[in-house]
């Protein structure tokens, strides 16, 4: 069951990266390329740092609860930041 849940989480993270690229394409052309490159760059940084942070937390032997909380914190940040960027873009567009 755990492997199935982890597989869905992996599919969701790859799908999210693709959706962010699609969202960037709907913006006006000049900021679109910048937004796409930033989103891909940050995604790659996360792909590198994520396992490192996960391994560090696991090596501290705090238990599965701490791993869950760390994942939940990053998920909340990942949900809030794009929303904030979108609202700031609307403010600056006016």
């Amino acid at each position: 069951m755990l492997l199935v849940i982890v597989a869905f989480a992996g599919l969701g993270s790859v799908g999210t990266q693709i959706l962010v690229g699609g969202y960037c394409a709907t913006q006006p052309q000049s900021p679109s390329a910048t937004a796409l490159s930033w989103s891909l760059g940050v995604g790659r940084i996360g792909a590198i740092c994520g396992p490192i942070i996960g391994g560090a937390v696991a090596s501290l032997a705090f238990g599965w609860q701490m791993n869950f909380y760390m994942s939940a914190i990053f998920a909340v940040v990942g949900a809030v930041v794009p929303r904030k960027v979108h609202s700031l873009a609307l403010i600056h567009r006016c």
Side-chain angles (χ1 to χ4, degrees), residues 8-18:
F8 278 117
L11 290 172
S13 63
V14 171
T16 302
Q17 186 74 22
I18 293 168

Side-chain angles (χ1 to χ4, degrees), residues 58-71:
S59 71
L60 295 174
F62 286 142
W64 64 269
Q65 295 92 347
M66 184 58 76
N67 287 338
F68 174 78
Y69 292 136
M70 291 293 291
S71 298

Side-chain angles (χ1 to χ4, degrees), residues 42-67:
V42 170
R44 297 301 172 241
I45 291 171
I48 293 168
C49 293
I52 294 171
I53 293 171
V57 170
S59 71
L60 295 174
F62 286 142
W64 64 269
Q65 295 92 347
M66 184 58 76
N67 287 338

Side-chain angles (χ1 to χ4, degrees), residues 5 9-10 25 31 59 94:
I5 293 170
S59 71
C94 296

